[in-house]
Amino acid sequence: MNPLAIKDNVYWVGAVDYSCRDFHGYSRSPQGTTYNAYLVLDEKITLFDTVKSGSISLMLQRIRELVDPEKIDYLVVNHVELDHAGCLGEIVNLCKPEKIFCSPMGLKSMQGHFDTEGWPIEVKKSGDTLSLGKRTVHFIEARMLHWPDSMFSYLAEDKLLLSNDAFGQNIACSERFADELDREVIEHAMKEYYHNIVQPFAPQVTKTLEQVAGLNLDIDMIAPDHGLIFRGKDDVAYALETYRRYAAPGWKKRAIVTYDTMWHSTERMACAIGDGLTEAGIPYHLLPLKANHHSAVMTAFADAGAVFVGSPTHNNGIMPGVADLLTYMKGLRPKCKIGAAFGSFGWSGEAPRAIHEWLEKMGFEMPVEPLTCNWVPKKDALEQCRAMGKSVGQALAERCATK
Ligand code: FEO
């Protein structure tokens, strides 16, 4: 329940949500999450971001360990999404701040979410600054990373970048710094967060990273609004490089085979496709949709250059779980992918063709025709599946060799 000093007179005053499993209604957060807020004690006492509405008492308790919340002079709202601004109305009423700062698009978002009449809002654009007394805040708009209103705040004297959602991870734990956990844990959580939340905006990520690099900021700490804080030059470089890597398009020599199944025929096809991939020298993950949330599939897809999607034909169409995945995948706009479709059927067999068309519309390369199997796959059908896996695997290997 205590605040944590992350710099001299800069405190983490956020909330750890150990129960959160459904992140924003579309992604999963199997390890919970945090809503990080930061309080700066300077001549102008300033709170950067707040927390989800249900967590306000945790944040206020931490703030009260340091200062009476009514003494807060400034609120900086780097992003209006409700996991960071859900309690903004209550905080404004309680603190009666002298000023509330946000980006130009933040103003529109704030007006859309709250009754802001009488709120002392001041818009800050990229390049604008704000003196808190001993320190100066530099604002950097980070449009579409991941909302139009998203903004970074850089505290020059502290060498601290408050990055809002960027570089975030959904992890609920007692540690606050990334160097206190195994790197693999951080890497997986960053990958899951990026590829389920930020991925559609990869070009804007690259642009923002270039913008930050061009400013030649001296950064020795990146504090996101979810998860662990990156402290020290090495961890800062790691966070920046990880996002550069995620945002750069490129072919990956791995495949995923994901499917739903009724009576295991499509599942047998999936296993035989996997054998074909192995013959082509391509490692793969088999991801049955009854056991894997669409977020887990997209996290695995981050390391893959090919996806096989399988569904039995159900009522002349695809299984509901497959439709869910394809809808989710389409919105996340993955790049540099080969696709292939397969599935069993009893009497009509439309599903693989429908999947093929979905994947094609996503811009995937589709080197093979959709593969169907009537009823239960026997030796010949399984051989066709192996051939499909091998053929697509070889196409991926060629892609990776020429990238
Ligand atoms: Fe963590 Fe876009 O809010």
Side-chain angles (χ1 to χ4, degrees):
M1 308 299 275
N2 291 324
L4 177 76
I6 62 169
K7 291 274 185 180
D8 285 347
N9 289 314
V10 180
Y11 294 87
W12 175 86
V13 291
V16 182
D17 187 345
Y18 289 95
S19 302
C20 178
R21 293 294 179 273
D22 178 347
F23 192 70
H24 297 20
Y26 60 85
S27 185
R28 64 164 199 170
S29 50
Q31 301 181 85
T33 193
T34 71
Y35 316 111
N36 297 337
Y38 301 96
L39 186 72
V40 176
L41 301 183
D42 204 323
E43 290 166 27
K44 294 293 184 184
I45 297 173
T46 305
L47 179 62
F48 289 82
D49 295 325
T50 60
V51 295
K52 202 172 174 180
S53 59
S55 300
I56 184 172
S57 61
L58 287 170
M59 181 181 72
L60 286 174
Q61 189 161 341
R62 290 193 166 96
I63 292 172
R64 285 191 177 109
E65 293 288 325
L66 299 163
V67 68
D68 181 344
E70 293 181 29
K71 293 204 173 356
I72 291 174
D73 299 292
Y74 292 163
L75 298 179
V76 174
V77 181
N78 280 324
H79 180 31
V80 181
E81 192 161 17
L82 295 178
D83 48 339
H84 310 296
C87 62
L88 188 60
E90 291 159 89
I91 292 295
V92 171
N93 286 337
L94 177 67
C95 302
K96 299 186 176 45
E98 183 184 327
K99 289 280 184 190
I100 302 169
F101 300 97
C102 64
S103 70
M105 296 305 287
L107 175 62
K108 291 185 180 178
S109 292
M110 215 182 287
Q111 289 169 333
H113 282 82
F114 304 99
D115 177 3
T116 57
E117 195 176 334
W119 286 18
I121 300 170
E122 185 173 319
V123 165
K124 290 290 188 184
K125 303 189 295 296
S126 279
D128 288 350
T129 58
L130 171 68
S131 173
L132 304 186
K134 295 186 179 66
R135 51 174 63 71
T136 302
V137 184
H138 298 249
F139 295 100
I140 304 161
E141 289 174 71
R143 287 192 183 201
M144 302 316 297
L145 206 176
H146 69 124
W147 271 22
D149 67 342
S150 301
M151 186 164 75
F152 295 169
S153 296
Y154 173 65
L155 281 60
E157 289 76 6
D158 302 294
K159 303 181 182 179
L160 169 61
L161 184 70
L162 302 176
S163 62
N164 194 261
D165 279 325
F167 313 107
Q169 332 97 46
N170 285 327
I171 304 178
C173 60
S174 60
E175 294 89 343
R176 297 274 69 81
F177 294 101
D179 56 34
E180 297 174 298
L181 294 185
D182 288 344
R183 181 62 87 213
E184 293 74 25
V185 175
I186 298 292
E187 172 79 29
H188 183 80
M190 278 184 93
K191 185 191 295 179
E192 184 168 64
Y193 190 94
Y194 179 93
H195 289 91
N196 284 278
I197 314 287
V198 182
Q199 177 169 275
F201 313 110
Q204 290 89 341
V205 172
T206 301
K207 191 174 156 192
T208 303
L209 292 174
E210 286 170 356
Q211 186 187 351
V212 169
L215 293 171
N216 289 317
L217 305 178
D218 188 3
I219 305 172
D220 75 3
M221 185 177 287
I222 294 178
D225 274 7
H226 297 289
L228 288 303
I229 296 165
F230 299 94
R231 68 177 162 189
K233 297 280 185 188
D234 287 352
D235 269 18
V236 166
Y238 164 77
L240 292 168
E241 180 52 33
T242 298
Y243 258 46
R244 269 188 213 107
R245 181 160 43 88
Y246 289 163
W251 290 91
K252 310 272 173 59
K253 201 171 175 183
R254 172 175 283 277
I256 61 169
V257 184
T258 185
Y259 60 92
D260 207 348
T261 194
M262 281 193 277
W263 297 105
H264 304 292
S265 290
T266 299
E267 185 169 62
R268 287 178 200 180
M269 294 177 77
C271 292
I273 287 168
D275 288 343
L277 284 164
T278 299
E279 284 178 38
I282 301 294
Y284 65 92
H285 272 112
L286 209 66
L287 297 159
L289 287 170
K290 285 193 173 59
N292 290 278
H293 189 272
H294 59 224
S295 288
V297 174
M298 291 311 296
T299 304
F301 202 14
D303 295 321
V307 59
F308 296 77
V309 181
S311 174
T313 295
H314 175 243
N315 293 336
N316 302 107
I318 57 181
M319 291 279 276
V322 177
D324 168 80
L325 174 69
L326 291 173
T327 302
Y328 189 63
M329 186 184 287
K330 180 171 178 278
L332 288 169
R333 303 171 212 164
K335 298 284 184 290
C336 294
K337 307 292 185 190
I338 292 173
F342 65 99
S344 68
F345 70 100
W347 52 94
S348 57
E350 294 93 337
R353 173 60 63 188
I355 293 167
H356 184 99
E357 288 170 1
W358 266 92
L359 297 175
E360 200 164 42
K361 280 184 188 154
M362 287 183 217
F364 294 179
E365 296 182 16
M366 305 296 291
V368 296
E369 284 297 297
L371 183 59
T372 57
C373 165
N374 195 206
W375 301 117
V376 175
K378 308 279 185 353
K379 189 165 179 277
D380 287 352
L382 292 173
E383 185 47 49
Q384 284 184 313
C385 293
R386 274 192 290 274
M388 181 198 221
K390 187 173 179 180
S391 172
V392 172
Q394 288 169 338
L396 177 60
E398 282 171 26
R399 271 297 187 190
C400 292
T402 57
K403 68 181 176 183

